[in-house]
Amino acid sequence: MGDDHDEGERAPSLSMNRGGVALMSTSHLVNDFYQGVVPALLPFLAAERHYSYAAIAGLTLAATLISSVAQPVFGVLGDRRPRRWLIGAGMLTAGVGLALVGLAHSYPLTWILIAISGFGIAAFHPEAARAARLAGGPSNRAMSIFALGGNGGYALGSLVATPVFLLLGVRGTPLLLIPAAVMATILALRLRRVLDGRSGRRRAAAMPTGRDDWPEFVKLIVVVVIRSILFLGITSFIGLYFIRELHTSESVGGAALTVFLVTGAAGTLLGGWVADRSNRLMSIQAGFVLTVPALAGLVFTRSWPATLAFVALTGIALYLPFAVFIMLGQDYLPNRIGTASGVTVGLGVSVGGLFSPLLGTFADHTSLRVMFTALIVLPVLGLALTWFMRDPSGPGTRARPRSGRPVPRA
């Protein structure tokens, strides 16, 4: 290692920095909490301020598309010079933006504030994914724990925000700033020490090395988009499918979405475990293979309890490769960790989201059952594409610690 490292740091360990992984996963939970608040907020905005469906769709666009497109930009900036302070600042911006929505009364200002919140969420992700990789090293399980934090935060946002809005209405949004304020304070006090150690010097870590492989990265993004179309198609329409095709109550329809997201959390952890014990491509392929019978069962069963079981299997299957996508992207572009993280987390999701209106139009002209049947083609296509990809770490190998060059400070 360089001369600026003490003797204890010259023999780097590839063990997981559990404190660092826990801190980054918790901060991911708080950050993505604000993504989950927006869907819960929209019905109350529509009711109190009499917004049209088009206006509500515009707010959804402000929250998602701007955030997703901005994430790769923040990734590129981070690759030029790491900006670790964006982890706390981005999260706090996300909280402030949504907190002020209840105090704004014009639609344009509401739109801008929700866009600012999405912008903060975008600023958080690339640097947070870089820090999670630094803490977890080559462990896919560590990255799956980081990803699980985001999944949990999204689900928690709706669960926490809805009672607040039922009690106080939209004017209760300032209360939602509390999680971001607390977590940003913790990060300001603890982040550097937890990630870098008592000395404040960067710990040796198993970060990817080598040349950037753009052709493989492009293949990965195509697979990410396919998974995104599946994911957003299911989350957008699974509740309606239970209500209109299986003739259940609205509560059962809502429960179906909850089951999908909760079992997805288990799938995220399982995907990291599979990747660590075989290879990353095996985890992605297993997810697509399981998705085919899961979707088929969802479509062809007529009993809603049985269909709910297939929803659970679909959640596990679709989330299996979630964290692996981030790890593979970083390994394909080892010199552009921020860019890889921003694109895999952000841009791939937004491109997939552009297909949701097309799926809705297709369902309007046929039925939700036909639309879900058509989705079965996508995991087959994704599985076929993975056979043309390679795992840069190779079977049974691990990433090597970086050495011989200083690491710029955030």
Side-chain angles (χ1 to χ4, degrees):
M1 301 296 294
D3 295 337
D4 62 332
H5 289 73
D6 59 34
E7 189 65 31
E9 291 173 322
R10 289 182 181 173
S13 169
L14 300 187
S15 61
M16 185 192 307
N17 176 356
R18 296 180 184 275
V21 172
L23 182 62
M24 295 318 303
S25 300
T26 305
S27 64
H28 198 190
L29 183 148
V30 174
N31 184 76
D32 284 18
F33 168 87
Y34 294 101
Q35 283 188 312
V37 167
V38 173
L41 174 62
L42 295 179
F44 292 90
L45 285 173
E48 292 186 23
R49 300 181 182 178
H50 309 292
Y51 289 161
S52 66
Y53 290 134
I56 292 296
L59 295 178
T60 301
L61 182 68
T64 56
L65 186 59
I66 291 177
S67 174
S68 298
V69 172
Q71 283 186 55
V73 176
F74 280 110
V76 171
L77 293 175
D79 287 332
R80 293 176 180 175
R81 180 185 176 187
R83 294 169 170 84
R84 192 182 283 176
W85 57 269
L86 280 173
I87 298 173
M91 176 196 309
L92 194 58
T93 301
V96 169
L98 276 178
L100 294 177
V101 166
L103 307 180
H105 296 289
S106 71
Y107 179 81
L109 184 54
T110 299
W111 193 98
I112 290 171
L113 289 171
I114 289 179
I116 288 173
S117 179
F119 197 73
I121 290 169
F124 169 90
H125 277 123
E127 288 298 327
R130 185 200 307 274
R133 181 63 183 262
L134 178 69
S139 172
N140 293 281
R141 181 167 58 92
M143 188 60 76
S144 70
I145 294 172
F146 171 73
L148 178 63
N151 298 341
Y154 186 89
L156 195 62
S158 178
L159 291 174
V160 172
T162 298
V164 171
F165 298 147
L166 286 171
L167 182 63
L168 300 175
V170 172
R171 68 179 185 275
T173 57
L175 288 176
L176 300 176
L177 180 59
I178 294 174
V182 172
M183 194 66 219
T185 301
I186 293 172
L187 288 171
L189 296 174
R190 299 288 300 166
L191 180 61
R192 184 170 179 176
R193 183 169 181 174
V194 169
L195 290 182
D196 300 338
R198 293 177 181 271
S199 67
R201 296 168 178 166
R202 292 291 171 92
R203 294 178 177 177
M207 298 291 280
T209 60
R211 295 180 177 179
D212 293 334
D213 192 339
W214 285 100
E216 289 296 324
F217 185 71
V218 170
K219 295 177 191 176
L220 173 66
I221 293 305
V222 174
V223 174
V224 169
V225 169
I226 289 173
R227 186 264 179 194
S228 176
I229 296 170
L230 280 164
F231 173 78
L232 291 171
I234 291 172
T235 55
S236 298
F237 298 108
I238 191 64
L240 287 173
Y241 179 80
F242 270 74
I243 295 168
R244 296 182 179 179
E245 297 288 342
L246 300 178
H247 309 293
T248 68
S249 65
E250 292 182 356
S251 61
V252 173
L257 178 59
T258 301
V259 166
F260 177 76
L261 295 174
V262 170
T263 55
T268 300
L269 292 176
L270 180 60
W273 183 87
V274 170
D276 279 338
R277 281 155 181 78
S278 55
N279 61 68
R280 274 86 65 90
L281 292 181
M282 177 68 73
S283 183
I284 296 173
Q285 290 164 350
F288 282 133
V289 167
L290 285 175
T291 301
V292 174
L295 278 176
L298 188 157
V299 168
F300 294 113
T301 53
R302 295 294 188 269
S303 166
W304 74 258
T307 305
L308 201 61
F310 283 109
V311 169
L313 180 60
T314 305
I316 293 172
L318 272 185
Y319 273 94
L320 272 175
F322 188 71
V324 177
F325 287 148
I326 302 173
M327 291 286 285
L328 266 180
Q330 292 176 343
D331 283 356
Y332 286 143
L333 302 183
N335 301 302
R336 293 175 173 83
I337 295 291
T339 301
S341 302
V343 172
T344 52
V345 175
L347 192 58
V349 173
S350 68
V351 173
L354 296 177
F355 286 84
S356 290
L358 296 178
L359 293 176
T361 301
F362 180 63
D364 284 335
H365 287 83
T366 55
S367 69
L368 285 172
R369 190 180 300 277
V370 173
M371 186 272 289
F372 276 112
T373 303
L375 288 181
I376 298 175
V377 175
L378 292 178
V380 176
L381 178 60
L383 179 64
L385 288 174
T386 62
W387 292 109
F388 298 94
M389 296 170 59
R390 66 176 186 85
D391 187 338
S393 67
T397 63
R398 300 284 187 185
R400 297 188 298 273
R402 290 187 187 272
S403 61
R405 57 180 177 182
V407 181
R409 289 205 175 275

